[in-house]
Amino acid sequence: MSDFGINPGKQQALLDKMQALGIRESDLVEKFIRSRGHGGQNVNKVATCVYLKHIPTGLEVKVQRERSQALNRFLARRLLADKIERMILGRQSEEERRREKLRRQKRKRSKRAKEKMLKNKKLVSEKKKLRSEPASED
């Protein structure tokens, strides 16, 4: 894997993740496509969009998030590694844990927790009312 012009720690983390998942550079087909959209002359002249295909699994990714081809190459590999991880690990993957956390956060409050929250809200409301009442003049 070549240098992508990013933090060496992030690059090493990606390399470790790819090794752990058994993704080899020789298994990847990489193509560069001319990007579209924002970016001006740079995007119109340079093929910054990166297409990656993992031959053994048949998974494909296409990334054109950044103006730099090197950064898009890194992002494409990271995205491909995440996809393969999800495919291999299923529910244990990071994405699945994130969804589960959101689900827990959005679930309905218990009756007791709701009552406590409403009581606290009422106290704050009363405090604010007392602040806005005009001071009595002597």
Side-chain angles (χ1 to χ4, degrees):
M1 190 155 75
S2 62
D3 183 43
F4 298 115
I6 59 152
N7 180 331
K10 287 183 179 180
Q11 198 163 312
Q12 188 58 46
L14 175 63
L15 190 60
D16 294 342
K17 187 173 188 175
M18 286 175 68
Q19 281 180 340
L21 294 170
I23 305 169
R24 296 190 312 264
E25 282 291 322
S26 59
D27 292 340
L28 301 177
V29 172
E30 186 173 41
K31 294 179 186 175
F32 303 104
I33 307 161
R34 203 165 274 174
S35 296
R36 295 178 16 207
H38 301 292
Q41 189 175 4
N42 181 63
V43 162
N44 298 328
K45 282 175 25 181
V46 184
T48 54
C49 181
V50 177
Y51 166 86
L52 265 185
K53 180 176 183 176
H54 186 241
I55 298 166
T57 58
L59 289 174
E60 301 174 339
V61 292
K62 191 166 140 182
V63 176
Q64 65 175 35
R65 204 176 336 168
E66 302 294 332
R67 288 178 58 186
S68 155
Q69 186 186 73
L71 193 50
N72 282 333
R73 288 180 71 210
F74 169 78
L75 293 170
R77 279 170 173 72
R78 194 163 70 178
L79 187 62
L80 185 68
D82 288 344
K83 271 188 169 185
I84 292 172
E85 182 184 37
R86 268 194 302 265
M87 193 179 85
I88 293 172
L89 300 178
R91 282 196 53 80
Q92 299 303 318
S93 72
E94 196 174 312
E95 181 75 16
E96 206 56 46
R97 285 196 301 269
R98 188 183 62 78
R99 278 196 206 117
E100 184 63 25
K101 182 179 177 186
L102 274 173
R103 190 188 65 75
R104 282 195 311 269
Q105 286 174 345
K106 289 182 177 184
R107 77 176 169 218
K108 197 174 165 185
R109 282 193 175 101
S110 70
K111 197 172 187 179
R112 187 172 177 196
K114 192 172 182 180
E115 286 171 359
K116 186 176 177 183
M117 184 262 307
L118 289 173
K119 184 180 175 186
N120 194 22
K121 216 171 175 182
K122 180 91 171 151
L123 286 172
V124 171
S125 164
E126 288 171 2
K127 227 189 270 184
K128 283 187 170 187
K129 276 182 194 172
L130 290 173
R131 277 190 222 138
S132 64
E133 289 178 8
S136 60
E137 294 179 24
D138 289 326

